[in-house]
Amino acid sequence: MALIGLGVTWVTAARDGRASRGAAARRVGATRQAGPSSCLEEVAMTQTPAPAAADGGTPSKPWWRQLYVQVLLAIVIGIFLGWRWPDLATSMEPIGTTFIAAMKMLIGPIVFLTIIGGIAGVADLKKVGLTGIKALTYFQAGTIVALLTGLVAINVFRLGDGVHADPATISTSGEADEYIKSGEHQHWWEFLTNLVPHSFFGAFVEGDILQVIFLAVIFGIALKSVGKVGEPVIASVNRLTEVVFKVLAFIMKAAPLGAFGAMSYAIGKFGISTLTSLGSLIALFYVTSILFVVVVLGAVLAAFVKLNIFQLFRYFKEEFFLVLGTSTAEPALPGLMRKLQFMGVEKSTVGLVVPTGYSFNLDGAAIYLSLATLYIAQATDTPLSVGQQLGLLAVMLLTSKGAAGVAGGGFIALTVTLSTVGHVPAAGIMLIFGIDKFMSECRALVNFYGNAVATLFIAKWENSLDLARARAVLAGHEIPDAAVSADTAASAESVPAAGFSTRNVVGTDR
């Protein structure tokens, strides 16, 4: 994946350099239209001071100072270090875990504040309910398609046949044993009963995104219901959102270090040999995931939203390399929300759909669950009829929702699935434990793009997407003056307060 990304980098860097000068001039022009106050807000949000260009715009940074280039180079260096000096690479783990912890520290507040701001910005609370119902319907449909994709792939290629592993002789130890024990004591319905936190701050302390969403929805509806009494609180929420995103901009400066530490540790700990030992299963998972994103999600985006999936890949290239380096989609959540709103998706839709999708729309985890479950069954010579496989699909439709926001969530969800159905031995997960780290990157990337497409789909369904602006942004063309003026006029006060200005979108991703 890193080598593929390197090729993408060289192709897009030159194009970015040509396009960014015109984009910088347009950003400055839009800022001047917004007035002196907004202009000061824009200048204050600039991350790195730069000299004025001859044409009056801000000069573009060289390609080697772009964030996605730095993250990609860090990944390549991390792979090389893990290959040549594994002991030294393993000691780099604290660098990666510290960066991920810093990003996760902001996930709860960002989700809480953006959902409240999104609900408060909706004129009719009925629209909030309809948007939520449509989103959950889409999430369930997408999960079913992802699960079926994995089931078809593993049934066609049957990579587990011939392994003949005896469950009685499979020993579990260490981290894998902890995951198995945790999964065996959980039930498929616990993600619903655990929705209500024990205390208000408990949801943030534990980092349980589902509980944070639950609190945010209740608070957002309550603030909207009290009318003028809640307006000062809503204004404070918008101001606090700006502060949180500024903190995020500071932390994102360390993204290359985080990617380097995480990738160095992964290669140094598990080794290149781990990739080759079960390379066929890894390859099948990657190919299946790529086909799902390009064919299934690409078709949904093209047929319903009328947008191009490959242009979407280029637009989210910074987030792609960030997820690739850290093996988790959570650090890319803030960037996804900013860029979707910049494309022309209404703030209320972004605030409701994206955080919910990070818990309920896990296409990558669904493909992984179906592939892994059937592989273990084949490897342990456990026959499963079509009816039993469909029963597994029904269980995985629920257990896949528990794979978000928990360390080892994918393994725990897999154990819960196997323990619930009882046909496949849970100890069989040891057969794939060594390669799980290298599959987590692909899971996270599919989850990320799945949520991007889902938000655009729901926005189009809700008529809350400026399609002309979205096409212009994805194509890298100049945004029509009417769209810029309308966007600036509609958000002259709210955008700086929420931290979603044009300057902030571009600056933070560098």
Side-chain angles (χ1 to χ4, degrees), residues 93-398:
E93 180 186 15
I95 300 177
T97 55
T98 300
F99 172 76
I100 294 175
M103 292 296 298
K104 287 186 175 182
M105 171 187 69
L106 296 177
I107 297 300
I110 287 175
V111 169
F112 184 75
L113 294 171
T114 51
I115 288 181
I116 291 179
I119 294 176
V122 176
D124 187 2
L125 283 178
K126 291 181 180 179
K127 184 179 179 181
V128 176
L130 289 174
T131 301
I133 293 173
K134 291 178 179 179
L136 291 175
T137 302
Y138 175 91
F139 295 160
Q140 290 298 90
T143 302
I144 291 174
V145 174
L147 288 170
L148 287 173
T149 302
L151 287 177
V152 170
I154 196 63
N155 273 293
V156 170
F157 292 96
R158 302 193 64 83
L159 300 179
D161 290 347
V163 177
H164 304 302
D166 185 0
T169 62
I170 298 176
S171 60
T172 60
S173 60
E175 191 176 5
D177 189 49
E178 295 178 4
Y179 291 153
I180 293 175
K181 291 180 179 178
S182 176
E184 288 177 340
H185 289 86
Q186 291 188 18
H187 303 283
W188 60 266
W189 39 262
E190 285 190 1
F191 81 96
L192 290 175
T193 58
N194 292 334
L195 197 62
V196 181
H198 295 292
S199 66
F200 178 85
F201 295 104
F204 296 92
V205 173
E206 298 295 331
D208 194 318
I209 300 300
L210 278 175
Q211 294 181 352
V212 173
I213 293 173
F214 177 78
L215 288 174
V217 170
I218 291 178
F219 269 76
I221 293 175
L223 284 174
K224 187 68 177 178
S225 300
V226 297
K228 292 185 178 180
V229 176
E231 290 180 358
V233 180
I234 295 173
S236 299
V237 166
N238 290 332
R239 293 187 177 94
L240 187 57
T241 302
E242 178 184 353
V243 175
V244 171
F245 272 96
K246 194 62 180 178
V247 174
L248 170 70
F250 295 150
I251 295 177
M252 284 300 296
K253 298 285 188 180
L257 282 176
F260 165 76
M263 187 58 67
S264 297
Y265 171 76
I267 300 297
K269 176 71 173 179
F270 301 102
I272 297 293
S273 59
T274 306
L275 292 173
T276 58
S277 62
L278 287 172
S280 57
L281 181 59
I282 297 175
L284 178 62
F285 179 56
Y286 270 77
V287 171
T288 303
S289 299
I290 292 172
L291 288 176
F292 176 81
V293 173
V294 174
V295 177
V296 178
L297 296 184
V300 170
L301 195 65
F304 189 80
V305 190
K306 310 300 182 184
L307 295 177
N308 189 299
I309 189 71
F310 296 102
Q311 290 180 336
L312 197 72
F313 292 159
R314 181 179 179 273
Y315 183 59
F316 287 113
K317 59 182 179 295
E318 291 88 356
E319 288 72 22
F320 171 88
F321 291 117
L322 182 61
V323 174
L324 181 65
T326 59
S327 299
T328 175
E330 289 184 342
L333 183 146
L336 173 63
M337 297 178 72
R338 286 196 314 274
K339 285 190 171 183
L340 284 172
Q341 186 171 341
F342 180 67
M343 282 179 62
V345 182
E346 288 185 4
K347 179 182 177 182
S348 58
T349 303
V350 172
L352 287 171
V353 177
V354 174
T356 308
Y358 261 62
S359 293
F360 286 94
N361 189 40
L362 305 175
D363 295 333
I367 296 173
Y368 166 80
L369 279 178
S370 56
L371 271 177
T373 301
L374 267 293
Y375 176 83
I376 293 171
Q378 294 168 4
T380 56
D381 297 321
T382 305
L384 293 175
S385 65
V386 175
Q388 288 174 323
Q389 291 189 33
L390 293 177
L392 275 172
L393 187 146
V395 174
M396 288 186 288
L397 189 62
L398 298 172

